Amino acid sequence: KVLATPRGRGVQCNAGAAEARGEILLFLHCDSQVEPDMLKKVERSVEAGASWGCLRLRFDDPHPLMAIGAIKSNLRVKWSGIAFGDQGIFMTKELFSKIGGFPAQPLMEDYQLSLNLKHIGIPPVQVDSVITTSARRFREGGMLRTGWQMHRLRHLYRKGTPPELLLEIYEKRRKP
């Protein structure tokens, strides 16, 4: 089913979740690829008690900087309980409803979702299944420069910069 929604990933994910009929929600970016047995592994994880989590990230670019970025992302899940959308976030529909879904903000919706869950003491489970995510943005914008920009945006967000202003910074950076 195709849904028409206003702009913004959080709003779009919430609309999809509202239409979903299953007990487990899975949020994927359209340029990501998953392993064939991923759904079974997510189901087993939930059956074993996980209420939310993500997959193990890998980028579609073999460059060593991209491999380091993926390792850092995977360790961030383990050490700080923060998962981002490009890691394929899954969650029980019950928990999703309980926390009110994704924040309806134009950027950092996945980060805030993780922070909200961390705040109430529910850590993510990282399922042993790889999600391969596009490194296009890093190739086009420069790997180090794009990585630095993403780090900077998260830092500004933690310091209280409104997501609307962060979106302006983000979009300016993406324009040639």
Side-chain angles (χ1 to χ4, degrees):
K1 182 174 186 178
V2 177
L3 304 175
T5 69
R7 187 175 181 205
R9 195 174 290 143
V11 171
Q12 294 165 349
C13 288
N14 290 339
E19 291 290 323
R21 299 291 170 242
E23 296 302 315
I24 303 170
L25 304 172
L26 175 64
F27 301 96
L28 298 172
H29 288 186
C30 65
D31 59 357
S32 294
Q33 297 175 356
V34 296
E35 296 178 324
D37 63 346
M38 177 271 303
L39 289 176
K40 292 269 184 235
K41 289 181 178 181
V42 168
E43 286 176 339
R44 278 190 235 128
S45 176
V46 171
E47 288 167 1
S51 56
W52 85 285
C54 65
L55 309 174
R56 285 188 303 112
L57 180 68
R58 175 177 60 204
F59 287 102
D60 66 355
D61 188 317
H63 192 283
L65 287 177
M66 297 312 302
I68 290 168
I71 290 167
K72 285 177 58 180
S73 291
N74 293 325
L75 289 174
R76 183 189 60 239
V77 173
K78 181 184 264 187
W79 292 343
S80 67
I82 302 295
F84 289 120
D86 60 358
Q87 291 175 284
I89 294 174
F90 68 88
M91 186 175 302
T92 64
K93 196 165 190 180
E94 178 183 356
L95 178 59
F96 192 79
S97 296
K98 178 181 172 183
I99 65 168
F102 281 94
Q105 57 191 58
L107 200 65
M108 302 288 172
E109 73 292 329
D110 50 357
Y111 187 35
Q112 188 60 56
L113 179 85
S114 287
L115 291 171
N116 292 347
L117 289 161
K118 183 176 180 171
H119 179 73
I120 61 174
I122 305 174
V125 169
Q126 194 165 33
V127 173
D128 187 25
S129 186
V130 172
I131 183 168
T132 304
T133 295
S134 173
R136 175 187 44 81
R137 184 178 307 140
F138 290 91
R139 285 189 295 267
E140 291 173 358
M143 291 180 188
L144 290 174
R145 188 173 43 226
T146 301
W148 171 250
Q149 177 73 355
M150 293 174 148
H151 175 77
R152 179 175 170 254
L153 289 171
R154 284 191 304 271
H155 173 76
L156 290 170
Y157 184 71
R158 284 191 306 272
K159 295 293 183 192
T161 305
E164 294 76 15
L165 180 56
L166 294 176
L167 181 62
E168 287 179 31
I169 295 168
Y170 177 74
E171 287 182 339
K172 248 187 240 176
R173 171 65 183 90
R174 289 183 73 183
K175 291 180 182 170

